[in-house]
Amino acid sequence: MSENINKKIPRHLAIILDGNGRWAKKRNLPRLMGHRAGLRKLEEMVRLVKREGIRYFSVYAFSTENWNRPSMEVQGLMSLFRYYIRRKVDEIKSEGARIRFCGRNDKLPEDLLQQMRWAEDYTKDQEILDFILCINYGGRAEILDAINKLRADNFTGEVTEQDLRKYFYLPDVPDPDLIIRTSGELRLSNFWLWECAYSEFYFTDIHWPDFDENELRKALDNYAGRDRRYGGLKNK
Ligand code: IPE
Ligand code: IPE
Ligand code: MG
């Protein structure tokens, strides 16, 4: 967008999609309707994020801890993921976006895993935006998985940050510049633990299904005014 020409845009924007349940409760709807509305909101967000010139867009959709929810909600979420991938992959591809999944494979239903692999393969040549869905993702799990893979490779010598990073789920994806969390909670809930070392944070009380272009604008404008020092001194 031309108005953004002189603005700092995050290269990697990450969003913790929180508040689907509260959104539904406010409307006397079942929680799953909130999740459905939340997934629908993602379609719009992919378009907006692309228009902003963001290169990597990751969303936290299901954590390694979310298995603790009642099985009806978990099953419902898995069905929604299946539906979303099947129905939206062409639209996402036509935006020039490549779909990637990030997280542990264990516990996910086999047919969903196959569908995820298919969607990744089907969109792999798209280069405008990497749209990363974190499903069964946990930051601690990612770090532990990396250490275990490194050990399985019989790695010897002192492990550097760069060495460990090579074993993360998506080693080529840069750290998130901006992490947004909707719905008022002021925590990470195990998202991008290693990668968030120098991320900027933005919290809003808006429930995820109500998050819109205007809210995104506010978050990006706020980010554009931040001074990222990385432990050094003020820029300019
Ligand atoms: C976020 O919405 C989606 C998932 C964690 C799957 P929630 O389901 O956490 O919504 P609240 O926090 O109960 O409102
Ligand atoms: C974080 O939301 C995980 C996702 C958005 C997928 P939760 O609703 O699970 O987090 P807590 O339980 O409030 O920390
Ligand atoms: Mg929540």
Side-chain angles (χ1 to χ4, degrees), residues 20-88:
N20 292 348
R22 277 163 282 177
W23 180 92
K25 193 168 179 214
K26 238 173 71 183
R27 289 162 178 78
N28 281 319
L29 294 169
R31 291 179 59 84
L32 270 179
M33 296 292 274
H35 293 312
R36 203 175 77 168
L39 278 179
R40 200 174 284 157
K41 179 57 66 171
L42 269 182
E43 302 161 39
E44 177 190 338
M45 225 28 78
V46 167
R47 278 195 298 276
L48 291 172
V49 156
K50 175 192 147 182
R51 216 170 70 185
E52 295 291 338
I54 288 162
R55 180 65 185 79
Y56 299 89
F57 176 40
S58 64
V59 296
Y60 201 13
F62 193 90
S63 73
T64 45
E65 287 71 38
N66 286 146
W67 297 106
N68 295 328
R69 295 192 179 195
S71 83
M72 221 176 80
E73 178 165 347
V74 171
Q75 299 316 316
L77 274 162
M78 296 302 142
S79 296
L80 284 171
F81 293 146
R82 275 188 201 98
Y83 177 84
Y84 181 78
I85 297 166
R86 194 167 59 235
R87 301 298 286 261
K88 299 298 165 193

Side-chain angles (χ1 to χ4, degrees), residues 159-181:
V159 181
T160 66
E161 284 188 20
Q162 288 73 22
D163 294 327
L164 193 62
R165 199 178 270 275
K166 281 185 206 137
Y167 290 88
F168 285 167
Y169 298 135
L170 304 175
D172 60 303
V173 173
D175 290 347
D177 299 292
L178 172 63
I179 299 180
I180 297 175
R181 181 167 187 149

Side-chain angles (χ1 to χ4, degrees), residues 98-157:
R98 169 183 179 196
I99 299 186
R100 304 177 76 178
F101 293 93
C102 180
R104 269 194 178 158
N105 287 342
D106 71 330
K107 297 196 197 158
L108 289 173
E110 189 49 44
D111 66 318
L112 177 60
L113 277 173
Q114 277 177 18
Q115 210 179 31
M116 286 158 66
R117 285 190 206 108
W118 168 79
E120 284 186 323
D121 189 59
Y122 184 63
T123 60
K124 68 176 188 302
D125 297 325
Q126 305 307 309
E127 291 178 346
I128 296 177
L129 174 71
D130 278 26
F131 174 42
I132 300 157
L133 277 151
C134 300
I135 295 180
N136 197 16
Y137 176 86
R140 288 186 175 179
E142 178 175 37
I143 295 167
L144 286 176
D145 288 351
I147 293 170
N148 286 318
K149 279 186 263 172
L150 188 135
R151 283 165 53 125
D153 268 0
N154 293 320
F155 190 95
T156 50

